[in-house]
Amino acid sequence: MNGARCCAALVLVSTALLTAAPSSDVLRVREWRTKNERQILGELMQLVALPNLAANRADIARNADFLTSMFERRGFTVTRWETKGSPIVFARRDAPSPRGTVLFYMHYDGQPVDAKEWTFGEPFNPAAFKGTMPVDLKAGAGPVDPDVRIYGRSASDDKGPIVAFLAALDGLIAAKATLPWSIRVVLEGEEEGGSPNFDAAMKAHAADVKSDLAIVVDSPRHPSGLPTVFYGSRGTFTATVTVYGATGDLHSGNYGNFVTDPALALARLLASMKDARGNVTIRHFYDGVEPLTPTEERAIDEIPNVDAKLLEQFGLARAEHPDSRIEVQHNRPTLSITGLESGAVYTGTRAAIPASAAARIEIRLVKGLSAETQLERLTAHIREQGFHVIATEPDAAIRRKYPLIAKVTRSSTGFPIGKTSMDDPGTGGAVAAIRSLDQRVVRLPTIGGSLPFSTFTDTLKLPTIGLAVVNFDNNQHAANENIRVGHVWEAIEIFAALLTNR
Amino acid sequence: MNGARCCAALVLVSTALLTAAPSSDVLRVREWRTKNERQILGELMQLVALPNLAANRADIARNADFLTSMFERRGFTVTRWETKGSPIVFARRDAPSPRGTVLFYMHYDGQPVDAKEWTFGEPFNPAAFKGTMPVDLKAGAGPVDPDVRIYGRSASDDKGPIVAFLAALDGLIAAKATLPWSIRVVLEGEEEGGSPNFDAAMKAHAADVKSDLAIVVDSPRHPSGLPTVFYGSRGTFTATVTVYGATGDLHSGNYGNFVTDPALALARLLASMKDARGNVTIRHFYDGVEPLTPTEERAIDEIPNVDAKLLEQFGLARAEHPDSRIEVQHNRPTLSITGLESGAVYTGTRAAIPASAAARIEIRLVKGLSAETQLERLTAHIREQGFHVIATEPDAAIRRKYPLIAKVTRSSTGFPIGKTSMDDPGTGGAVAAIRSLDQRVVRLPTIGGSLPFSTFTDTLKLPTIGLAVVNFDNNQHAANENIRVGHVWEAIEIFAALLTNR
């Protein structure tokens, strides 16, 4: 949180010899936590129980109300910044004679859910399990097994960190610890939708959020399980590609061998986008990608290699790029097909050739790339495959003129790439504070996921780090999202160390 | 309906010089129909209003009950043959001193529906429209515009023909016409599901259905709009191919560039199945296909070429096989992708790489091919593309061993190919009777669609023709299925001609 520690921190990184030494403040917070475990988890479950898909305004308002009262109870002054989408909840708590100001970012919205896919509890009716055994946290007293997990949408992404943050503050207040930093917290309500209004809102409120350090708290820890900081996040956007056949579904017997199959034309198009080694074959797709710096390469070299562990965990015979570790691949752009739809495979199948076939293509961006450029490159590729590319439904004249027609639309705004230097002196103190709890902190040049990181680095121009506190196997964005209780406890101590760092 | 006419019929086909000359019986039926139009259409709408997806046993029973009373009202003795699936409704009506027996086949079940896709009425709440204008058939009297259409599931496929058949009989009875043929009618209740129990049931009841001629009434007329008979139907079956990625959906940011994309692997596999000219590239796929006979080739040459009209109607720039007319292509096997599913494109999208991607592949068969052989060839092709092929979900060991895994299952029993000779003397009389109404009758060696044709030709070994009476643009198997009123009228006359043919 200040510059003075930067060099010491970097020395620690490269030697990693010192033993972890939690401060007395952190130890008192730990003591307090052991006496309040069920209350902390109870608050988490209350928060997770609030449905939080950004599209539902009423649900989002209930979350904002609940968060407001959570922060006000801890002495924050809370303001709600309305946007065209979800409101931003802004909380401030000033220190009497602060060393400076630290700004925390977390988000309270969650990914869409498909309740029928959940086997542990329900998305908005959180439940605790150890392994596959249900655990009733309200019954009994005493310590909660750290291997228990709380299941529910946003348990990890990103409500768990909010609760851990406030528990850290509760513990510090209970311990009458000195809080040397003025605190600012922004809680966003549409991160999973690509934070469409966040950057503008933060620009408008730049004076309110002016700080010495921004800490973006989101994302799972590195798969090694170690505490994780990161210096950037990939950008992202999605495009939807729709390929057209006849104007309507056609009887597959009467018109098989007559109408061309839009699903097959789409398959051929998609197959043309990557080679057998997993590299994207769209021309210029990798042009402009900034290479890793020596500092970044060193930081990656220091991280335990988890590729084999991931392959085992995910039941995979090989990685897409077997010769390159995942942390390096996170610094390359991606192209993933996150959706395919045409006709029906399981329910409602008909003996008909569908009128169209569509794919949702997600592209992640790294430093040197923009969504606009990559979308142009994608579109050019589709044209090169012989398609007439359009932006709206084809009319009769277009259908009759072109044998291959693809509608290409950008279907999510996504995030720009955000990345800062690992050598920024403004972030070294915070990293050292985390390291005081565990010398092995993983430092990632960038994470694979996407966050509004660039708002802090590029728009507000603040020294920024990302902080990942939740278990990496939290199933975020999928069914059975969860947070491991032991990770909640460690997150509380990380926040306590950051809030009391001198 | 008898052998004596066969040669005359064939002569007519090749010369097509005579003018149409409806018999006096047919003219009296026409007269009767003009006075009972709204009542005929009312009965059709009642029948169409009964939901008839074969999977719903209670709905199917309601259809069978309704049909039983419809046939009993016309002097038929009705029996219900129970099967493991839907019951077969069997109706018989004997002539006093018959020239012989004629067996009619129709089916009363319908394809699945997606009500939200329907823009004209609802699948089981039939409605009449002329163009886009609603028409109230109950209001007013007088003739109904033949261009009005009745919309609803099975309006054409295959309830419309049942109603037209009984209206013909009503008209003949009202006209006190002599009915020279004993009549047998089998009404099947699971044709759209591939008639899984029909062949065995008919074999068991071979004595009941013994006839001099079988007439399979299903399928739309040839696109020329002319009355249509056919001598075969393609076989069909479907296979579902599922390609696996990780054991669960994975965050596309955290694991993009690490986990291979099952949708892309599936796309690559599907793209390998056809070349750019629309020919299937699976090895041996066309091996064994029996070529058209000179009679069949001549019959096709006599048919008006409708390819250009179809392309315009369906909004297509070109046919899959531009150098070969659709009636020829109906005598080649097909491979169509009727379903694609992976993740989501429109609703419920998540930033996740799906755990699997699946395609439903439909294959149509022609004389010389069996489902078993074509499934083997498909499976061999998938193996040749590098996939480890399995029949059930992959276990952990298989996942860890094989980078490419495809589950291949046969997902519908489908139909065997059924085809008879165009030169069979047992069918010439019936064709001549239809020709008496319109000299230009289209004779198709096979239709593109699939029916239990082989039950009549191969199992029962009866002289068999197929009869297609409904408008070709009926949207069967899709949303907005309909029958044109004018086609109901013409169907009534075709049935009257067949029932009074001497």
Side-chain angles (χ1 to χ4, degrees):
Chain A
M1 289 163 183
N2 62 18
R5 294 283 177 96
C6 98
C7 302
L10 286 176
V11 170
L12 296 185
V13 168
S14 50
T15 62
L17 289 175
L18 299 183
T19 331
S23 69
S24 58
D25 287 336
V26 169
L27 292 174
R28 278 182 287 169
V29 167
R30 182 181 300 174
E31 175 67 18
W32 174 87
R33 181 264 297 169
T34 59
K35 295 178 184 142
N36 293 277
E37 291 184 351
R38 283 162 205 271
Q39 176 194 320
I40 297 165
L41 299 177
E43 187 170 34
L44 173 58
M45 290 174 86
Q46 276 187 286
L47 183 58
V48 170
L50 300 175
N52 64 341
L53 188 64
N56 188 319
R57 295 292 186 104
D59 283 344
I60 284 294
R62 272 187 284 275
N63 278 269
D65 290 344
F66 194 85
L67 289 164
T68 299
S69 67
M70 281 171 72
F71 277 81
E72 284 179 344
R73 271 205 303 284
R74 276 79 175 200
F76 284 84
T77 305
V78 182
T79 321
R80 199 174 301 191
W81 295 335
E82 296 298 336
T83 74
K84 276 182 283 185
S86 303
I88 293 164
V89 178
F90 175 65
R92 57 185 295 160
R93 191 179 194 280
D94 287 326
S97 50
R99 276 185 61 86
T101 303
V102 57
L103 170 66
F104 290 88
Y105 165 90
M106 289 165 285
H107 68 87
Y108 64 89
D109 64 311
Q111 282 272 321
V113 296
D114 186 350
K116 68 179 184 297
E117 293 180 0
W118 286 59
T119 48
F120 290 89
E122 297 162 30
F124 301 115
N125 187 12
F129 288 83
K130 185 182 174 187
T132 58
M133 293 294 294
V135 174
D136 184 351
L137 291 175
K138 283 179 188 154
V144 177
D145 187 329
D147 280 332
V148 166
R149 291 172 187 233
I150 312 290
Y151 289 81
R153 175 55 85 227
S154 299
S156 261
D157 181 17
D158 197 23
K159 287 178 170 179
I162 298 174
V163 171
F165 174 82
L166 290 179
L169 201 62
D170 285 340
L172 290 169
I173 293 167
K176 299 191 165 51
T178 304
L179 293 166
W181 300 90
S182 287
I183 308 169
R184 305 285 179 267
V185 182
V186 284
L187 302 170
E188 195 202 350
E190 48 190 351
E191 193 271 347
E192 301 295 1
S195 301
N197 303 297
F198 185 72
D199 196 77
M202 293 299 278
K203 202 170 178 178
H205 293 282
D208 294 303
V209 295
K210 189 171 181 311
S211 307
D212 298 287
L213 173 70
I215 303 181
V216 176
V217 190
D218 195 6
S219 181
R221 287 184 179 197
H222 182 264
S224 61
L226 298 173
T228 304
V229 297
F230 52 92
Y231 296 82
S233 65
R234 283 200 279 211
T236 183
F237 74 99
T238 62
T240 300
V241 178
T242 308
V243 171
Y244 295 87
T247 43
D249 295 352
L250 289 181
H251 189 294
S252 50
N254 300 339
Y255 302 106
N257 281 0
F258 184 77
V259 57
T260 46
D261 202 325
L264 196 85
L266 177 67
R268 204 173 274 137
L269 174 60
L270 296 174
S272 75
M273 292 184 186
K274 270 190 180 179
D275 65 21
R277 301 177 54 84
N279 290 310
V280 177
T281 49
I282 293 170
R283 280 204 287 157
H284 308 302
F285 191 80
Y286 298 103
D287 288 5
V289 171
E290 292 187 7
L292 290 170
T293 66
T295 304
E296 290 170 340
E297 284 184 341
R298 251 196 330 270
I300 290 176
D301 286 345
E302 286 170 4
I303 301 170
N305 189 315
V306 292
D307 291 357
K309 176 183 164 184
L310 291 177
L311 291 176
E312 189 179 348
Q313 166 142 3
F314 299 143
L316 296 168
R318 69 168 184 223
E320 190 169 36
H321 303 274
D323 301 333
S324 162
R325 57 187 294 181
I326 189 169
E327 298 85 357
V328 171
Q329 287 299 327
H330 281 169
N331 293 280
R332 299 179 76 216
T334 69
L335 181 149
S336 305
I337 303 168
T338 60
L340 270 186
E341 288 186 25
S342 185
V345 174
Y346 301 108
T347 53
T349 57
R350 292 184 302 204
I353 297 171
S356 65
R360 190 172 171 97
I361 295 176
E362 185 203 72
I363 290 177
R364 300 262 171 182
L365 309 162
V366 296
K367 198 78 178 173
L369 301 177
S370 73
E372 291 67 29
T373 306
Q374 295 306 79
L375 183 59
E376 268 169 34
R377 290 167 176 176
L378 171 68
T379 306
H381 177 85
I382 296 172
R383 284 204 184 92
E384 284 166 21
Q385 303 305 306
F387 285 83
H388 176 68
V389 174
I390 50 178
T392 54
E393 290 291 297
D395 62 19
I398 285 176
R399 285 177 177 275
R400 291 284 282 150
K401 186 165 177 189
Y402 301 100
L404 290 171
I405 302 169
K407 185 176 75 174
V408 181
T409 56
R410 184 166 168 176
S411 42
S412 84
T413 317
F415 289 101
I417 157 78
K419 196 172 173 193
T420 187
S421 165
M422 294 184 85
D423 300 323
D424 184 339
T427 60
V431 176
I434 301 167
R435 192 179 299 273
S436 73
L437 304 175
D438 190 331
Q439 293 295 323
R440 299 164 302 167
V441 172
V442 166
R443 296 182 314 133
L444 296 167
T446 189
I447 52 168
S450 303
L451 304 166
F453 207 86
S454 67
T455 295
F456 302 95
T457 53
D458 296 17
T459 306
L460 299 174
K461 299 190 193 307
L462 302 179
T464 304
I465 57 166
L467 172 62
V469 293
V470 302
N471 44 303
F472 95 97
D473 58 350
N474 67 60
N475 295 332
Q476 72 182 91
H477 292 206
N480 298 321
E481 180 176 345
N482 67 82
I483 190 166
R484 186 178 161 274
V485 165
H487 282 73
V488 178
W489 302 161
E490 291 183 26
I492 291 171
E493 296 184 14
I494 291 169
F495 285 119
L498 290 168
L499 290 171
T500 54
N501 178 43
R502 300 201 150 267
Chain B
M1 287 161 181
N2 62 17
R5 295 286 176 96
C6 101
C7 301
L10 286 174
V11 170
L12 295 184
V13 168
S14 50
T15 61
L17 289 173
L18 300 183
T19 330
S23 69
S24 58
D25 286 336
V26 168
L27 292 173
R28 278 181 286 165
V29 167
R30 184 182 298 174
E31 175 68 15
W32 173 88
R33 180 264 298 169
T34 58
K35 295 178 185 142
N36 293 276
E37 292 185 349
R38 284 162 207 269
Q39 176 194 320
I40 297 165
L41 299 177
E43 187 172 35
L44 173 58
M45 290 174 87
Q46 275 186 287
L47 183 57
V48 171
L50 300 175
N52 64 341
L53 188 64
N56 189 320
R57 295 290 186 104
D59 283 345
I60 284 294
R62 272 187 285 274
N63 279 270
D65 290 344
F66 194 84
L67 289 164
T68 298
S69 67
M70 282 172 70
F71 277 80
E72 284 178 346
R73 269 205 304 282
R74 276 80 174 197
F76 284 85
T77 305
V78 182
T79 323
R80 198 173 300 191
W81 295 336
E82 295 299 335
T83 73
K84 275 180 285 185
S86 303
I88 293 164
V89 177
F90 175 65
R92 56 184 298 159
R93 190 178 194 280
D94 288 327
S97 48
R99 275 185 63 86
T101 303
V102 58
L103 170 66
F104 289 88
Y105 165 91
M106 288 166 283
H107 68 87
Y108 63 89
D109 64 310
Q111 282 274 321
V113 297
D114 186 349
K116 66 179 184 300
E117 292 179 2
W118 286 59
T119 48
F120 290 89
E122 296 161 32
F124 303 113
N125 187 12
F129 288 84
K130 183 180 176 189
T132 57
M133 292 296 293
V135 175
D136 185 350
L137 291 175
K138 284 179 189 156
V144 178
D145 187 328
D147 281 331
V148 166
R149 293 173 187 232
I150 312 291
Y151 288 81
R153 174 55 85 228
S154 298
S156 261
D157 179 18
D158 194 24
K159 288 178 169 177
I162 298 174
V163 170
F165 173 82
L166 290 180
L169 201 62
D170 285 340
L172 291 169
I173 293 167
K176 298 191 169 46
T178 304
L179 293 166
W181 299 90
S182 286
I183 307 170
R184 307 284 179 266
V185 181
V186 284
L187 302 169
E188 196 203 349
E190 47 190 352
E191 192 270 347
E192 300 295 0
S195 302
N197 303 296
F198 185 70
D199 196 78
M202 293 301 277
K203 202 170 179 177
H205 294 281
D208 294 304
V209 295
K210 190 170 181 312
S211 308
D212 298 288
L213 174 69
I215 303 182
V216 177
V217 190
D218 196 7
S219 182
R221 286 186 179 196
H222 183 262
S224 61
L226 297 173
T228 304
V229 296
F230 52 93
Y231 295 82
S233 66
R234 283 201 280 212
T236 183
F237 73 99
T238 61
T240 300
V241 178
T242 309
V243 171
Y244 294 88
T247 44
D249 295 353
L250 290 180
H251 188 296
S252 51
N254 299 339
Y255 302 107
N257 282 0
F258 184 76
V259 58
T260 46
D261 202 323
L264 196 85
L266 177 68
R268 204 173 276 138
L269 173 60
L270 297 174
S272 74
M273 292 185 185
K274 270 190 180 179
D275 65 20
R277 301 177 57 84
N279 290 309
V280 177
T281 49
I282 293 171
R283 281 204 286 156
H284 308 300
F285 192 80
Y286 299 102
D287 287 6
V289 171
E290 290 186 8
L292 290 169
T293 66
T295 305
E296 291 170 340
E297 283 183 343
R298 253 197 327 272
I300 289 176
D301 286 345
E302 287 169 1
I303 302 169
N305 189 316
V306 292
D307 291 359
K309 176 183 164 184
L310 291 178
L311 291 176
E312 187 179 349
Q313 166 143 1
F314 299 143
L316 295 168
R318 69 167 183 223
E320 190 170 36
H321 302 275
D323 301 333
S324 162
R325 57 186 295 181
I326 187 168
E327 298 85 358
V328 171
Q329 287 299 326
H330 281 169
N331 294 278
R332 297 180 77 218
T334 69
L335 182 149
S336 303
I337 302 168
T338 60
L340 269 186
E341 288 186 25
S342 183
V345 174
Y346 299 108
T347 53
T349 58
R350 295 183 300 201
I353 297 171
S356 65
R360 190 173 171 97
I361 296 176
E362 186 203 71
I363 289 177
R364 301 262 171 182
L365 309 163
V366 295
K367 198 80 178 171
L369 300 178
S370 72
E372 291 67 28
T373 306
Q374 295 305 78
L375 184 59
E376 267 168 36
R377 291 166 175 174
L378 171 68
T379 306
H381 177 85
I382 296 172
R383 283 205 184 92
E384 284 166 21
Q385 303 306 306
F387 284 83
H388 176 68
V389 174
I390 49 178
T392 54
E393 290 291 296
D395 63 18
I398 285 176
R399 285 177 177 276
R400 292 283 281 150
K401 186 166 178 190
Y402 300 100
L404 290 171
I405 303 169
K407 184 176 72 174
V408 181
T409 55
R410 184 164 168 180
S411 43
S412 84
T413 318
F415 290 101
I417 157 78
K419 197 172 174 192
T420 187
S421 164
M422 293 185 87
D423 299 323
D424 184 340
T427 60
V431 177
I434 301 168
R435 192 179 301 273
S436 73
L437 304 174
D438 190 331
Q439 293 296 323
R440 301 163 300 166
V441 171
V442 166
R443 296 181 314 131
L444 296 168
T446 189
I447 52 166
S450 303
L451 304 166
F453 207 86
S454 67
T455 294
F456 301 95
T457 52
D458 296 17
T459 305
L460 299 173
K461 299 192 192 307
L462 302 179
T464 304
I465 56 166
L467 172 62
V469 294
V470 303
N471 45 302
F472 96 96
D473 58 349
N474 67 59
N475 294 331
Q476 71 182 93
H477 292 206
N480 298 323
E481 180 175 346
N482 66 81
I483 189 165
R484 186 178 159 273
V485 165
H487 282 72
V488 178
W489 303 162
E490 292 183 25
I492 292 171
E493 297 185 13
I494 289 169
F495 286 119
L498 289 168
L499 290 172
T500 54
N501 179 43
R502 301 205 147 261

